[in-house]
Amino acid sequence: MFMADTELLPIGLVNDMYTEQMNDGYRYSELGTQADMDRF
């Protein structure tokens, strides 16, 4: 994504995308399953 592309996006969305990008490599010790989401 280029800086010019982000000019039209709300700052909150850009911050969320950056945060998610930084978390892409994180290994969670416990992950939810489909059954967990169904109960949710």
Side-chain angles (χ1 to χ4, degrees):
M1 179 176 286
F2 296 101
M3 287 302 294
D5 296 333
T6 63
E7 289 179 3
L8 301 176
L9 298 175
I11 188 65
L13 181 59
V14 174
N15 286 340
D16 288 345
M17 290 189 310
Y18 180 73
T19 300
E20 287 300 320
Q21 179 186 17
M22 298 304 292
N23 289 335
D24 280 349
Y26 185 79
R27 298 287 179 211
Y28 294 96
S29 60
E30 185 176 334
L31 294 175
T33 63
Q34 184 61 50
D36 294 328
M37 293 306 294
D38 293 342
R39 284 193 304 271
F40 181 68

